[in-house]
Amino acid sequence: MEILRVENLCKKYGTKDTEVVALDNASFTVERGEFVAIVGASGSGKSTLLHLIGGVDRPTSGKVWIDGTDIYELDHDKLAIFRRRQVGLIYQFYNLIPILNVVENITLPLRLDGKKVDQKKLSDILAILELQNRKEHLPNQLSGGQQQRVSIGRALINHPAIVLADEPTGNLDSRASREIMDLLKVSNRKYNQTVILITHDENIALEADRILTIEDGRIISNEKVR
Ligand SMILES: Nc1ncnc2c1ncn2[C@@H]1O[C@H](COP(=O)(O)OP(=O)(O)OP(=O)(O)O)[C@@H](O)[C@H]1O
Ligand SMILES: [Mg+2]
């Protein structure tokens, strides 16, 4: 089943002399449960593409459907709610709320929605993330790898339609990177979570089901790995 459809997506920044075509007519689809890697040189448009898929930024033209919803047809408020429920975002720098502890950061999307926290699910997630003994720690009391695990927990708690990760291991040493990749794979296999991941690391990309390569804002290849 198709979970994401990207059609003729374009993003231009600036005007005339300063115009940059960051994304040039990108089209592809992703099936539910797929693990897709996006690779390409610095400045090729990877983050731009991910932000447009996630409804963080608006395209100059083109469309994005997530689980059948044409997201840019939603008004500003509806898009914000849709994003909170259906898109899990993970960045290189963890973007945690500094005054909230581990459990509060992970459950934030639910609480913003006025939803009750499923304690069983929360304790499952804390166990998978190996954060059971850090529940009340604040972000600045955690290692980089632990902070990234919290941001993964926050991305997964709602069981979103897609998880989007922009170089989630870019700031971590090799062991912590391995743990983060294993967690993303577990969420993909165990919960059939669709994951789209930007990476510079060829070995990490080869662990995906499919690799999209982007060059100068254009998707130049879309290849199944397995
Ligand atoms: N807000 C902006 N205003 C103007 N130009 C921008 C803006 N954001 C990105 N760009 C330009 O768009 C192009 C694509 O940027 P993008 O951040 O998507 O690249 P990237 O592939 O993620 O690179 P990296 O691997 O370095 O993160 C770049 O040439 C960049 O300079
Ligand atoms: Mg980027």
Side-chain angles (χ1 to χ4, degrees):
M1 200 201 108
E2 183 180 292
I3 195 78
L4 172 70
R5 168 171 292 264
V6 171
E7 222 169 73
N8 304 119
L9 207 56
C10 294
K11 180 71 181 180
K12 291 179 186 164
Y13 290 109
T15 49
K16 287 191 184 141
D17 301 352
T18 62
E19 186 177 279
V20 173
V21 181
L23 197 65
D24 188 1
N25 222 25
S27 299
F28 60 94
T29 60
V30 172
E31 297 291 305
R32 186 186 293 278
E34 261 195 300
F35 196 120
V36 179
I38 299 178
V39 301
S42 179
S44 58
K46 304 180 297 296
S47 296
T48 301
L49 174 60
L50 211 70
H51 288 152
L52 294 175
I53 294 171
V56 180
D57 198 3
R58 285 193 172 257
T60 306
S61 60
K63 283 182 179 286
V64 173
W65 284 268
I66 295 176
D67 204 8
T69 299
D70 181 345
I71 65 167
Y72 292 109
E73 283 293 306
L74 300 173
D75 68 29
H76 182 270
D77 292 354
K78 288 217 174 78
L79 178 56
I81 293 168
F82 183 86
R83 208 166 63 203
R84 192 157 74 216
R85 293 181 184 161
Q86 300 295 357
V87 181
L89 276 169
I90 304 167
Y91 292 103
Q92 181 172 354
F93 300 98
Y94 329 113
N95 277 40
L96 301 174
I97 312 275
I99 57 165
L100 299 182
N101 69 28
V102 165
V103 165
E104 291 165 341
N105 263 291
I106 290 176
T107 57
L108 186 64
L110 293 174
R111 297 189 309 149
L112 287 172
D113 248 358
K115 283 195 208 146
K116 250 190 92 188
V117 175
D118 177 342
Q119 291 301 326
K120 168 81 171 68
K121 174 139 200 220
L122 176 61
S123 65
D124 282 355
I125 284 184
L126 286 167
I128 290 171
L129 301 173
E130 292 183 26
L131 289 169
Q132 304 102 309
N133 302 324
R134 295 288 185 279
K135 284 195 265 197
E136 305 202 341
H137 281 57
L138 296 171
N140 69 6
Q141 299 169 323
L142 300 170
S143 71
Q146 289 168 337
Q147 290 181 63
Q148 192 59 301
R149 272 147 42 202
V150 174
S151 78
I152 290 180
R154 184 182 56 189
L156 293 176
I157 190 91
N158 256 337
H159 204 320
I162 44 177
V163 164
L164 304 175
D166 193 346
E167 294 192 59
T169 63
N171 196 36
L172 300 172
D173 66 28
S174 60
R175 181 160 156 264
S177 297
R178 186 65 260 163
E179 285 172 10
I180 295 301
M181 278 311 296
D182 288 344
L183 282 170
L184 288 173
K185 280 168 74 182
V186 165
S187 77
N188 173 247
R189 302 264 158 78
K190 188 168 167 194
Y191 301 116
N192 200 34
Q193 177 67 64
T194 311
V195 178
I196 303 179
L197 164 91
I198 294 176
T199 181
H200 272 123
D201 185 329
E202 192 180 325
N203 291 321
I204 287 179
L206 287 169
E207 294 180 36
D209 298 318
R210 197 143 58 87
I211 303 178
L212 286 184
T213 309
I214 176 162
E215 191 180 290
D216 293 332
R218 277 191 301 273
I219 293 174
I220 57 161
S221 91
N222 180 352
E223 268 184 275
K224 258 197 149 35
V225 179
R226 62 177 64 79

